[in-house]
Amino acid sequence: MSGTNVSTDVVELLSAFPVADELAERFAAAGHRLYLVGGSVRDALLGRLSGDLDFTTDARPPAVQKLLAGWADAIWDTGIAFGTVGAAKRGQTVEITTFRADAYDGVTRNPEVTFGDTIEGDLVRRDFTVNAMAFDLVERVLVDPTGGRAALAAKVLDTPATPQESFSDDPLRMLRATRFVSQLGFTPAPRVVEAMTAMAGELGRITPERVQAELSKLLTGAHPRAGVELMVATGLADVVLPELPAMKLEIDEHHQHKDVFHHSLVVLEQAIDLEEDGPDLVLRIAALLHDIGKPDTRRFEEGGGVSFHHHEVVGAKMVRKRLRALRYAKDVIEDVAQLVYLHLRFHGYGSGGWTDSAVRRYVTDAGHLLPRLHKLVRADCTTRNRRKANALQRTYDELERRIDRIAAEEDLRRVRPDLDGNEIMRLLGLPPGPQVGRAWKFLKELRLDRGPLDHDEAVAELFAWARSEGIEPPG
């Protein structure tokens, strides 16, 4: 918080959003109060008010709709059952919610919606004190009944009521705490950590979709490692992502190997350092879970060694299963799984045995994920042996140069057979069907192995393949 006069700080930030003053005037003229509230106030006090504004008011939803009519460019009522009316004005989105005084049933996270009459009563039912502040847009004063401003200055995350009451009302707040640790760099109060640890199992009441939304915000925050560590330490991860604590493998004096969980956190941080255009959710999930298959594949070898054979194959399957359970989008699931599956392949390159064909396959199998795969492989180098680390990075530099060289000669990102499907059908006299698909696949594999073929050579190879399949070309 940059200044001593909080009201002045907020007013200055709000000057960039004239819709706030316009709304305040309309509500005041009708005898109602209007407050900027919650995360909007928190962010304003942090000097970074975002574009979407949240307001609260004593006006009931029908009255809010009437006040917005004739002013807003668009109005929607998808949240009206919970007292929220949304609107847009000159590209600015606002949500206005009637004071709430809800009661929870203790079984689901769905409250019995009850409207309140005071701003103080509304604020004390919110999740954390840093989100339990409001700014009176008419009087230009901060309303802070639970000490949110002091908590914000101290970067402490605490609850307005007791944590037990707060988390019992809505268990998702426990996961939201880990998200705020990641996004804002806050430290949870000891009583909050204690309650999260004791009540972690309550998170099972929450739908996977809501859990996934909070997890994604945590992972794309500024400090995701701190959020993940809190999630694991309190037992929340046992409920929502049990594969994470499972990576905390015991290390004894006879079987030395990296702590897989700690290694994964380091890889996450190193992958973040390689991001170029802001947080990359797919890359971050892949970095955190790239070794998810190690616990299930760990084998103790004679002589004191430890192996994790095929952990990338097992890991890709586990990633798909977990991300599906969390209702991630199909493209996110497949991208993360493919990165996990491919993250070890580079380590066969250092032996010097890769042909141009192997490089083509590496690029082709990665497809659009190649830039992310480059980052993941580099981030996966966590050895403390500086000489070994430098050697690995030099080897990957050499592979990238080789990819660029071959790509300059061939369009690796769009490897296609030298003959397309129409020409295959014409040359072999085939109708559309499985045989054409097999011929196309044969020619693609040939292209990967040998690079581009001239037309006559490709036709000759196609005819030879066709005869081996019992297909006699016409003429």
Side-chain angles (χ1 to χ4, degrees):
M1 292 175 286
S2 57
T4 56
N5 190 325
V6 173
S7 297
T8 300
D9 291 344
V10 178
V11 169
E12 288 178 356
L13 282 165
L14 280 173
S15 65
F17 303 94
V19 295
D21 283 337
E22 293 173 22
L23 280 171
E25 290 175 8
R26 292 181 72 86
F27 276 72
H32 293 293
R33 309 303 294 268
L34 187 70
Y35 302 83
L36 188 71
V37 73
S40 292
V41 176
R42 179 199 69 219
D43 289 345
L45 294 176
L46 290 172
R48 59 182 200 189
L49 188 59
S50 62
D52 294 341
L53 303 179
D54 293 325
F55 300 95
T56 189
T57 180
D58 60 327
R60 297 308 195 243
V64 173
Q65 289 176 307
K66 288 181 180 179
L67 286 166
L68 292 175
W71 173 84
D73 298 327
I75 302 173
W76 53 91
D77 61 2
T78 51
I80 200 164
F82 297 96
T84 300
V85 179
K89 178 71 171 181
R90 297 190 297 275
Q92 174 75 53
T93 299
V94 301
E95 286 193 343
I96 303 172
T97 302
T98 301
F99 294 161
R100 297 268 292 274
D102 302 337
Y104 289 79
D105 60 16
V107 177
T108 69
R109 68 177 298 271
N110 298 319
E112 178 183 339
V113 177
T114 304
F115 297 133
D117 298 311
T118 67
I119 182 62
E120 291 79 9
D122 177 272
L123 294 176
V124 296
R125 54 164 289 279
R126 292 178 178 263
D127 55 1
F128 299 104
T129 59
V130 294
N131 296 329
M133 293 179 284
F135 185 73
D136 188 324
L137 289 163
V138 176
E139 300 294 333
R140 295 293 199 261
V141 295
L142 184 73
V143 183
D144 179 18
T146 66
R149 180 188 176 191
L152 193 65
K155 293 188 175 183
V156 171
L157 203 61
D158 205 349
T159 52
T162 67
Q164 289 78 7
E165 291 176 272
S166 181
F167 300 154
S168 178
D169 281 349
D170 184 359
L172 188 64
R173 289 172 173 173
M174 293 186 286
L175 194 56
R176 197 174 290 139
T178 68
R179 187 245 289 186
F180 286 131
V181 165
S182 171
Q183 287 183 327
L184 302 174
F186 286 7
T187 299
R191 69 172 191 160
V192 169
V193 176
E194 182 180 345
M196 290 169 65
T197 305
M199 301 176 66
E202 293 295 306
L203 201 55
R205 289 160 44 190
I206 307 302
T207 64
E209 290 83 358
R210 298 304 300 272
V211 169
Q212 180 246 101
E214 292 297 328
L215 183 60
S216 295
K217 291 175 183 176
L218 183 163
L219 290 174
T220 52
H223 314 280
R225 176 171 181 163
V228 169
E229 287 178 324
L230 178 60
M231 190 167 63
V232 171
T234 55
L236 295 178
D238 292 321
V239 181
V240 303
L241 197 57
E243 294 81 2
L244 269 181
M247 287 194 287
K248 299 182 75 170
L249 301 177
E250 288 185 19
I251 304 176
D252 61 48
E253 60 182 348
H254 303 295
H255 299 284
Q256 293 293 325
H257 61 83
K258 293 178 182 177
D259 178 328
V260 180
F261 176 65
H262 177 266
H263 163 75
S264 299
L265 294 177
V266 173
V267 174
L268 172 62
E269 290 183 313
Q270 295 188 165
I272 291 170
D273 288 340
L274 296 173
E275 290 176 339
E276 299 164 346
D277 300 307
D280 183 338
L281 179 63
V282 167
L283 177 63
R284 293 188 182 196
I285 297 176
L288 183 63
L289 301 182
H290 73 286
D291 279 343
I292 192 176
K294 277 193 171 181
D296 284 0
T297 58
R298 181 172 62 163
R299 298 291 182 271
F300 296 119
E301 308 290 351
E302 292 185 10
V306 180
S307 67
F308 303 94
H309 295 309
H310 305 301
H311 77 266
E312 76 282 11
V313 178
V314 173
K317 293 179 180 177
M318 293 174 67
V319 160
R320 283 192 178 92
K321 182 177 180 181
R322 176 54 54 194
L323 297 189
R324 282 174 187 149
L326 288 170
R327 305 293 195 270
Y328 273 97
K330 184 177 180 180
D331 59 337
V332 172
I333 295 171
E334 291 307 313
D335 285 353
V336 174
Q338 185 70 348
L339 286 170
V340 171
Y341 177 72
L342 293 174
H343 83 276
L344 272 189
R345 188 175 295 185
F346 157 73
H347 293 282
Y349 182 78
S351 62
W354 276 29
T355 61
D356 282 357
S357 171
V359 175
R360 291 188 196 98
R361 289 181 184 278
Y362 187 74
V363 173
T364 301
D365 288 349
H368 71 281
L369 295 170
L370 185 63
R372 284 181 172 131
L373 183 59
H374 288 334
K375 294 181 178 71
L376 178 59
V377 172
R378 290 185 181 278
D380 195 24
C381 176
T382 62
T383 178
R384 294 180 181 178
N385 184 320
R386 179 57 56 187
R387 181 178 298 177
K388 182 178 179 182
N390 289 338
L392 282 169
Q393 296 294 353
R394 285 195 302 271
T395 302
Y396 205 83
D397 288 343
E398 197 277 329
L399 173 59
E400 286 204 58
R401 285 193 295 270
R402 194 170 170 190
I403 289 171
D404 291 340
R405 175 182 61 77
I406 297 174
E409 301 167 1
E410 314 165 19
D411 190 353
L412 286 184
R413 296 185 186 279
R414 293 181 295 175
V415 171
R416 294 289 185 273
D418 295 282
L419 305 174
D420 65 20
N422 290 328
E423 195 164 9
I424 290 170
M425 288 189 286
R426 181 181 63 80
L427 289 168
L428 298 184
L430 294 175
Q435 289 178 317
V436 178
R438 290 199 300 272
W440 190 92
K441 184 177 181 181
F442 162 76
L443 289 173
K444 180 177 179 180
E445 292 294 317
L446 196 66
R447 171 74 180 270
L448 288 170
D449 285 337
R450 291 165 50 180
L453 307 178
D454 63 43
H455 185 268
D456 290 344
E457 189 177 7
V459 172
E461 292 289 352
L462 175 64
F463 284 168
W465 172 85
R467 292 188 180 98
S468 73
E469 294 287 312
I471 303 169
E472 189 61 38

